[in-house]
Each structure stands twice: as C-alpha cells, then as structure tokens.
Short mmCIF file of all heavy atoms in Angstrom, two decimals:
data_model
loop_
_atom_site.label_atom_id
_atom_site.label_comp_id
_atom_site.label_asym_id
_atom_site.label_seq_id
_atom_site.Cartn_x
_atom_site.Cartn_y
_atom_site.Cartn_z
N MET D 282 77.04 87.11 124.79
CA MET D 282 78.21 88.02 124.90
C MET D 282 77.76 89.32 125.37
O MET D 282 76.72 89.77 124.88
CB MET D 282 78.99 88.05 123.52
CG MET D 282 79.48 86.75 123.02
SD MET D 282 80.39 86.85 121.52
CE MET D 282 81.95 87.45 121.94
N GLU D 283 78.61 89.97 126.08
CA GLU D 283 78.41 91.35 126.58
C GLU D 283 79.35 92.32 125.96
O GLU D 283 80.43 91.98 125.65
CB GLU D 283 78.55 91.31 128.14
CG GLU D 283 77.55 90.30 128.89
CD GLU D 283 76.13 90.95 128.83
OE1 GLU D 283 75.93 92.12 128.80
OE2 GLU D 283 75.22 90.02 128.71
N PRO D 284 78.96 93.55 125.90
CA PRO D 284 79.85 94.66 125.43
C PRO D 284 81.17 94.63 126.21
O PRO D 284 81.15 94.46 127.42
CB PRO D 284 79.09 95.95 125.64
CG PRO D 284 77.64 95.54 125.56
CD PRO D 284 77.57 94.18 126.23
N GLY D 285 82.30 94.64 125.40
CA GLY D 285 83.61 94.65 126.11
C GLY D 285 84.19 93.26 126.16
O GLY D 285 85.34 93.01 126.30
N ASP D 286 83.33 92.17 125.96
CA ASP D 286 83.91 90.80 125.91
C ASP D 286 84.83 90.64 124.71
O ASP D 286 84.64 91.17 123.72
CB ASP D 286 82.74 89.81 125.81
CG ASP D 286 82.00 89.53 127.06
OD1 ASP D 286 82.38 90.08 128.13
OD2 ASP D 286 80.88 88.76 127.13
N PRO D 287 85.88 89.76 124.97
CA PRO D 287 86.81 89.56 123.94
C PRO D 287 86.22 88.53 122.88
O PRO D 287 85.41 87.69 123.21
CB PRO D 287 88.05 88.98 124.62
CG PRO D 287 87.46 88.34 125.86
CD PRO D 287 86.33 89.20 126.19
N VAL D 288 86.50 88.70 121.69
CA VAL D 288 86.14 87.85 120.57
C VAL D 288 87.28 87.01 120.09
O VAL D 288 88.44 87.59 119.75
CB VAL D 288 85.52 88.56 119.38
CG1 VAL D 288 85.10 87.59 118.35
CG2 VAL D 288 84.40 89.44 119.93
N SER D 289 87.30 85.66 120.08
CA SER D 289 88.42 84.87 119.67
C SER D 289 88.43 84.69 118.16
O SER D 289 87.43 84.98 117.49
CB SER D 289 88.19 83.50 120.30
OG SER D 289 87.19 82.79 119.75
N LEU D 290 89.54 84.27 117.69
CA LEU D 290 89.71 83.98 116.21
C LEU D 290 88.77 82.92 115.85
O LEU D 290 88.15 83.04 114.70
CB LEU D 290 91.16 83.64 115.82
CG LEU D 290 91.47 83.39 114.39
CD1 LEU D 290 91.16 84.63 113.57
CD2 LEU D 290 92.89 83.06 114.22
N SER D 291 88.56 81.96 116.64
CA SER D 291 87.56 80.88 116.19
C SER D 291 86.15 81.39 116.08
O SER D 291 85.39 81.10 115.15
CB SER D 291 87.61 79.66 117.16
OG SER D 291 87.21 80.12 118.42
N GLN D 292 85.82 82.38 116.87
CA GLN D 292 84.44 82.96 116.81
C GLN D 292 84.41 83.81 115.61
O GLN D 292 83.29 83.96 115.00
CB GLN D 292 84.18 83.87 118.09
CG GLN D 292 83.97 83.05 119.39
CD GLN D 292 83.87 83.89 120.65
OE1 GLN D 292 84.81 84.71 120.89
NE2 GLN D 292 82.94 83.58 121.45
N LEU D 293 85.42 84.52 115.29
CA LEU D 293 85.45 85.35 114.01
C LEU D 293 85.25 84.47 112.83
O LEU D 293 84.54 84.78 111.84
CB LEU D 293 86.68 86.19 113.90
CG LEU D 293 86.94 87.37 114.83
CD1 LEU D 293 88.34 87.93 114.70
CD2 LEU D 293 85.86 88.44 114.50
N CYS D 294 86.01 83.31 112.83
CA CYS D 294 85.96 82.41 111.69
C CYS D 294 84.52 81.82 111.61
O CYS D 294 83.96 81.73 110.42
CB CYS D 294 86.92 81.24 111.88
SG CYS D 294 88.57 81.80 111.67
N ALA D 295 83.92 81.43 112.70
CA ALA D 295 82.58 80.98 112.73
C ALA D 295 81.51 81.93 112.21
O ALA D 295 80.63 81.68 111.34
CB ALA D 295 82.10 80.47 114.04
N ALA D 296 81.69 83.18 112.65
CA ALA D 296 80.75 84.19 112.16
C ALA D 296 80.90 84.51 110.68
O ALA D 296 79.96 84.73 109.92
CB ALA D 296 81.02 85.48 112.96
N SER D 297 82.18 84.50 110.26
CA SER D 297 82.50 84.70 108.89
C SER D 297 81.91 83.72 107.91
O SER D 297 81.18 84.00 106.91
CB SER D 297 84.06 84.66 108.69
OG SER D 297 84.41 84.63 107.29
N ALA D 298 82.00 82.46 108.38
CA ALA D 298 81.38 81.33 107.50
C ALA D 298 79.85 81.40 107.61
O ALA D 298 79.29 81.15 106.58
CB ALA D 298 81.90 79.97 108.16
N LYS D 299 79.29 81.59 108.79
CA LYS D 299 77.79 81.62 108.92
C LYS D 299 77.24 82.72 108.11
O LYS D 299 76.21 82.63 107.49
CB LYS D 299 77.43 81.82 110.47
CG LYS D 299 75.91 81.65 110.57
CD LYS D 299 75.56 81.51 111.99
CE LYS D 299 74.10 81.41 112.17
NZ LYS D 299 73.73 81.09 113.62
N LEU D 300 77.86 83.90 108.09
CA LEU D 300 77.27 85.09 107.39
C LEU D 300 77.72 85.27 106.04
O LEU D 300 77.29 86.05 105.32
CB LEU D 300 77.66 86.42 108.24
CG LEU D 300 77.16 86.42 109.67
CD1 LEU D 300 77.67 87.55 110.41
CD2 LEU D 300 75.60 86.49 109.60
N GLY D 301 78.73 84.41 105.60
CA GLY D 301 79.29 84.54 104.17
C GLY D 301 80.02 85.79 103.96
O GLY D 301 79.91 86.39 102.86
N ILE D 302 80.77 86.22 104.97
CA ILE D 302 81.64 87.51 104.87
C ILE D 302 83.01 87.18 105.28
O ILE D 302 83.33 86.10 105.70
CB ILE D 302 80.94 88.63 105.88
CG1 ILE D 302 81.08 88.20 107.29
CG2 ILE D 302 79.61 89.10 105.34
CD1 ILE D 302 80.59 89.24 108.27
N THR D 303 83.91 88.14 105.01
CA THR D 303 85.34 87.89 105.28
C THR D 303 85.52 88.02 106.79
O THR D 303 84.62 88.52 107.62
CB THR D 303 86.19 88.95 104.65
OG1 THR D 303 85.85 90.25 105.24
CG2 THR D 303 85.97 88.98 103.21
N ILE D 304 86.63 87.48 107.36
CA ILE D 304 86.93 87.49 108.67
C ILE D 304 87.09 89.01 109.15
O ILE D 304 86.62 89.39 110.21
CB ILE D 304 88.18 86.69 109.07
CG1 ILE D 304 87.89 85.25 108.90
CG2 ILE D 304 88.67 86.94 110.46
CD1 ILE D 304 89.10 84.25 108.91
N PRO D 305 87.76 89.85 108.41
CA PRO D 305 87.85 91.28 108.82
C PRO D 305 86.48 91.97 108.92
O PRO D 305 86.24 92.71 109.83
CB PRO D 305 88.78 91.92 107.75
CG PRO D 305 89.54 90.86 107.19
CD PRO D 305 88.65 89.62 107.19
N ALA D 306 85.57 91.56 107.92
CA ALA D 306 84.19 92.10 108.03
C ALA D 306 83.50 91.66 109.28
O ALA D 306 82.74 92.44 109.89
CB ALA D 306 83.45 91.75 106.76
N ALA D 307 83.70 90.45 109.69
CA ALA D 307 83.01 89.89 110.94
C ALA D 307 83.64 90.66 112.02
O ALA D 307 82.86 91.03 113.06
CB ALA D 307 83.38 88.40 111.04
N ALA D 308 84.97 90.93 112.13
CA ALA D 308 85.59 91.68 113.16
C ALA D 308 84.93 93.08 113.29
O ALA D 308 84.65 93.58 114.44
CB ALA D 308 87.02 91.79 113.03
N VAL D 309 84.68 93.74 112.11
CA VAL D 309 84.06 95.10 112.18
C VAL D 309 82.68 94.97 112.83
O VAL D 309 82.37 95.81 113.65
CB VAL D 309 84.03 95.65 110.78
CG1 VAL D 309 83.19 96.89 110.64
CG2 VAL D 309 85.46 96.02 110.31
N ARG D 310 81.90 93.98 112.37
CA ARG D 310 80.60 93.80 112.95
C ARG D 310 80.59 93.67 114.46
O ARG D 310 79.81 94.27 115.16
CB ARG D 310 79.83 92.66 112.31
CG ARG D 310 79.38 93.04 110.87
CD ARG D 310 78.56 91.89 110.40
NE ARG D 310 78.19 92.25 109.00
CZ ARG D 310 77.06 91.63 108.46
NH1 ARG D 310 76.44 90.86 109.05
NH2 ARG D 310 76.82 91.94 107.15
N PHE D 311 81.52 92.78 114.92
CA PHE D 311 81.66 92.64 116.47
C PHE D 311 82.04 93.88 117.16
O PHE D 311 81.49 94.19 118.29
CB PHE D 311 82.67 91.48 116.78
CG PHE D 311 82.11 90.19 116.70
CD1 PHE D 311 82.69 89.21 115.72
CD2 PHE D 311 81.23 89.64 117.50
CE1 PHE D 311 82.20 87.93 115.62
CE2 PHE D 311 80.75 88.33 117.36
CZ PHE D 311 81.21 87.48 116.52
N ARG D 312 83.00 94.62 116.50
CA ARG D 312 83.34 95.92 117.12
C ARG D 312 82.22 96.93 117.15
O ARG D 312 82.06 97.69 118.16
CB ARG D 312 84.49 96.60 116.36
CG ARG D 312 85.90 95.82 116.64
CD ARG D 312 87.00 96.62 116.04
NE ARG D 312 88.09 95.65 115.83
CZ ARG D 312 88.42 95.15 114.59
NH1 ARG D 312 87.92 95.66 113.47
NH2 ARG D 312 89.39 94.36 114.49
N ARG D 313 81.36 96.87 116.12
CA ARG D 313 80.14 97.81 116.07
C ARG D 313 79.23 97.45 117.22
O ARG D 313 78.41 98.30 117.71
CB ARG D 313 79.50 97.75 114.76
CG ARG D 313 80.22 98.47 113.72
CD ARG D 313 79.52 98.43 112.40
NE ARG D 313 80.29 99.16 111.37
CZ ARG D 313 80.15 98.96 110.10
NH1 ARG D 313 79.24 98.18 109.62
NH2 ARG D 313 80.96 99.52 109.25
N LEU D 314 79.30 96.18 117.68
CA LEU D 314 78.43 95.72 118.75
C LEU D 314 78.99 96.05 120.08
O LEU D 314 78.42 95.67 121.07
CB LEU D 314 78.14 94.18 118.57
CG LEU D 314 77.21 93.85 117.33
CD1 LEU D 314 77.20 92.31 117.21
CD2 LEU D 314 75.86 94.42 117.58
N GLY D 315 80.22 96.58 120.15
CA GLY D 315 80.78 96.88 121.30
C GLY D 315 81.69 95.85 121.95
O GLY D 315 82.18 95.94 123.06
N LEU D 316 82.02 94.75 121.13
CA LEU D 316 82.82 93.66 121.57
C LEU D 316 84.31 93.96 121.18
O LEU D 316 84.55 94.69 120.31
CB LEU D 316 82.31 92.36 120.98
CG LEU D 316 80.80 92.02 121.33
CD1 LEU D 316 80.39 90.89 120.51
CD2 LEU D 316 80.89 91.64 122.84
N ASP D 317 85.09 93.37 121.90
CA ASP D 317 86.60 93.42 121.77
C ASP D 317 87.10 92.47 120.74
O ASP D 317 87.66 91.42 121.03
CB ASP D 317 87.32 93.33 123.07
CG ASP D 317 88.71 93.62 123.02
OD1 ASP D 317 89.27 94.28 122.02
OD2 ASP D 317 89.53 93.19 123.93
N ALA D 318 86.94 92.79 119.40
CA ALA D 318 87.46 91.92 118.41
C ALA D 318 88.88 92.31 118.11
O ALA D 318 89.25 93.47 117.96
CB ALA D 318 86.64 92.02 117.10
N PRO D 319 89.73 91.37 117.96
CA PRO D 319 91.23 91.60 117.70
C PRO D 319 91.43 92.10 116.30
O PRO D 319 90.64 91.99 115.43
CB PRO D 319 91.83 90.25 117.88
CG PRO D 319 90.80 89.30 117.41
CD PRO D 319 89.52 89.86 117.94
N GLU D 320 92.57 92.75 116.27
CA GLU D 320 93.09 93.31 114.99
C GLU D 320 93.39 91.88 114.16
O GLU D 320 94.17 91.21 114.51
CB GLU D 320 94.37 94.14 115.05
CG GLU D 320 94.86 94.80 113.88
CD GLU D 320 95.61 93.93 113.00
OE1 GLU D 320 96.48 93.22 113.45
OE2 GLU D 320 95.31 93.88 111.76
N VAL D 321 92.61 91.71 113.10
CA VAL D 321 92.58 90.41 112.43
C VAL D 321 93.96 89.98 111.87
O VAL D 321 94.44 88.89 112.03
CB VAL D 321 91.52 90.36 111.40
CG1 VAL D 321 91.41 89.07 110.67
CG2 VAL D 321 90.15 90.69 112.06
N THR D 322 94.58 90.91 111.11
CA THR D 322 95.84 90.58 110.46
C THR D 322 96.89 90.08 111.40
O THR D 322 97.47 88.94 111.19
CB THR D 322 96.41 91.70 109.59
OG1 THR D 322 95.39 92.28 108.69
CG2 THR D 322 97.59 91.39 108.79
N GLY D 323 97.05 90.70 112.55
CA GLY D 323 98.03 90.30 113.44
C GLY D 323 97.68 89.01 114.04
O GLY D 323 98.53 88.16 114.33
N THR D 324 96.36 88.75 114.33
CA THR D 324 95.89 87.58 114.96
C THR D 324 96.15 86.33 114.00
O THR D 324 96.62 85.32 114.43
CB THR D 324 94.38 87.70 115.20
OG1 THR D 324 94.21 88.72 116.14
CG2 THR D 324 93.87 86.43 115.95
N ILE D 325 95.78 86.52 112.76
CA ILE D 325 95.98 85.45 111.83
C ILE D 325 97.47 85.11 111.60
O ILE D 325 97.79 83.97 111.54
CB ILE D 325 95.37 85.81 110.43
CG1 ILE D 325 93.84 85.83 110.64
CG2 ILE D 325 95.71 84.81 109.28
CD1 ILE D 325 93.02 86.34 109.41
N HIS D 326 98.34 86.20 111.53
CA HIS D 326 99.83 85.97 111.41
C HIS D 326 100.24 85.14 112.59
O HIS D 326 101.12 84.33 112.47
CB HIS D 326 100.54 87.28 111.22
CG HIS D 326 100.48 87.80 109.93
ND1 HIS D 326 101.52 88.02 109.06
CD2 HIS D 326 99.41 88.23 109.14
CE1 HIS D 326 101.17 88.47 107.86
NE2 HIS D 326 99.83 88.64 107.91
N ALA D 327 99.84 85.49 113.84
CA ALA D 327 100.29 84.79 115.01
C ALA D 327 99.83 83.42 115.02
O ALA D 327 100.59 82.55 115.47
CB ALA D 327 99.70 85.55 116.27
N ALA D 328 98.57 83.11 114.50
CA ALA D 328 98.13 81.86 114.49
C ALA D 328 98.87 80.90 113.41
O ALA D 328 99.25 79.76 113.71
CB ALA D 328 96.61 81.72 114.11
N MET D 329 99.10 81.55 112.33
CA MET D 329 99.94 80.89 111.27
C MET D 329 101.40 80.52 111.76
O MET D 329 101.84 79.50 111.41
CB MET D 329 99.97 81.75 110.06
CG MET D 329 98.71 81.92 109.36
SD MET D 329 97.94 80.51 108.52
CE MET D 329 99.07 80.34 107.26
N ALA D 330 101.93 81.38 112.56
CA ALA D 330 103.19 81.13 113.12
C ALA D 330 103.27 79.83 113.97
O ALA D 330 104.37 79.29 114.12
CB ALA D 330 103.81 82.36 113.77
N ARG D 331 102.20 79.58 114.63
CA ARG D 331 102.16 78.39 115.49
C ARG D 331 101.98 77.09 114.69
O ARG D 331 102.12 75.98 115.33
CB ARG D 331 101.07 78.51 116.45
CG ARG D 331 101.41 79.65 117.50
CD ARG D 331 100.42 79.66 118.72
NE ARG D 331 98.99 79.76 118.34
CZ ARG D 331 98.29 80.82 118.29
NH1 ARG D 331 98.87 81.99 118.53
NH2 ARG D 331 97.03 80.83 117.95
N LEU D 332 101.66 77.11 113.47
CA LEU D 332 101.38 76.00 112.66
C LEU D 332 102.75 75.21 112.31
O LEU D 332 103.73 75.91 112.08
CB LEU D 332 100.68 76.20 111.42
CG LEU D 332 99.22 76.75 111.52
CD1 LEU D 332 98.70 77.12 110.22
CD2 LEU D 332 98.33 75.66 112.18
N PRO D 333 102.77 73.90 112.36
CA PRO D 333 104.00 73.21 111.90
C PRO D 333 104.27 73.42 110.43
O PRO D 333 103.36 73.66 109.71
CB PRO D 333 103.69 71.73 112.20
CG PRO D 333 102.20 71.66 112.38
CD PRO D 333 101.67 72.94 112.67
N ARG D 334 105.54 73.45 110.16
CA ARG D 334 105.90 73.65 108.79
C ARG D 334 106.50 72.40 108.18
O ARG D 334 107.15 71.59 108.96
CB ARG D 334 106.90 74.90 108.65
CG ARG D 334 106.42 76.06 109.26
CD ARG D 334 107.19 77.29 108.73
NE ARG D 334 106.73 78.48 109.48
CZ ARG D 334 105.87 79.37 108.85
NH1 ARG D 334 105.42 79.16 107.77
NH2 ARG D 334 105.53 80.44 109.57
N ALA D 335 106.31 72.23 106.89
CA ALA D 335 106.90 71.08 106.26
C ALA D 335 108.42 71.16 106.20
O ALA D 335 108.94 72.31 106.01
CB ALA D 335 106.31 70.94 104.77
N ARG D 336 108.98 70.16 106.42
CA ARG D 336 110.63 70.13 106.39
C ARG D 336 111.00 70.03 104.91
O ARG D 336 110.45 69.21 104.15
CB ARG D 336 111.09 69.03 107.14
CG ARG D 336 110.76 69.03 108.67
CD ARG D 336 111.40 67.99 109.42
NE ARG D 336 110.89 68.13 110.82
CZ ARG D 336 111.39 67.35 111.82
NH1 ARG D 336 112.28 66.40 111.58
NH2 ARG D 336 110.90 67.55 113.06
N LYS D 337 112.08 70.74 104.64
CA LYS D 337 112.60 70.56 103.26
C LYS D 337 113.51 69.35 103.22
O LYS D 337 114.24 69.04 104.14
CB LYS D 337 113.43 71.91 102.99
CG LYS D 337 112.59 73.11 102.94
CD LYS D 337 113.41 74.33 102.54
CE LYS D 337 112.53 75.57 102.56
NZ LYS D 337 113.28 76.75 102.15
N ALA D 338 113.43 68.74 102.05
CA ALA D 338 114.17 67.49 101.89
C ALA D 338 115.66 67.76 101.60
O ALA D 338 116.11 68.78 101.19
CB ALA D 338 113.54 66.73 100.84
#
C-alpha cells in the first residue's frame, strides 16, 4: 500500500483482528501511515444497512 491509498472495511477488520485492537484504532494507525482510512462509524453503519434483516412473524 502507498500513502493516499484507500483502506477498505475488510482491511480494517483484518488489521484489527491481527493486532488485537479495535477497528477505530486500526483506522487511526492507517491514517498515521498516510493511508485513506474511512470514518469507521459511518462505514460500519452503511455495511450493517446492507445486511438482510429477520422478518417479524
């Protein structure tokens, strides 16, 4: 990855799991390296909105 490259949510999740840190902490680390890490809360909310929801009976 090069400075300015975008970081995907899956990359944030992988880094979080590998390093044993939260996803927001992983985003901060990527930003400190000059990468374009998304604003995590909005990204997670957008991903959650795409998930199928259980139907009420």
Side-chain angles (χ1 to χ4, degrees):
M282 297 180 82
E283 298 290 326
D286 283 353
V288 179
S289 68
L290 182 56
S291 63
Q292 289 171 313
L293 287 173
C294 290
S297 170
K299 184 172 184 172
L300 298 172
I302 60 176
T303 65
I304 294 171
V309 168
R310 287 189 181 201
F311 277 115
R312 286 187 205 108
R313 286 182 183 158
L314 294 171
L316 299 168
D317 185 17
E320 189 280 310
V321 180
T322 304
T324 302
I325 292 172
H326 283 243
M329 295 290 290
R331 293 192 302 266
L332 294 174
R334 302 198 187 262
R336 295 182 185 187
K337 294 182 181 179

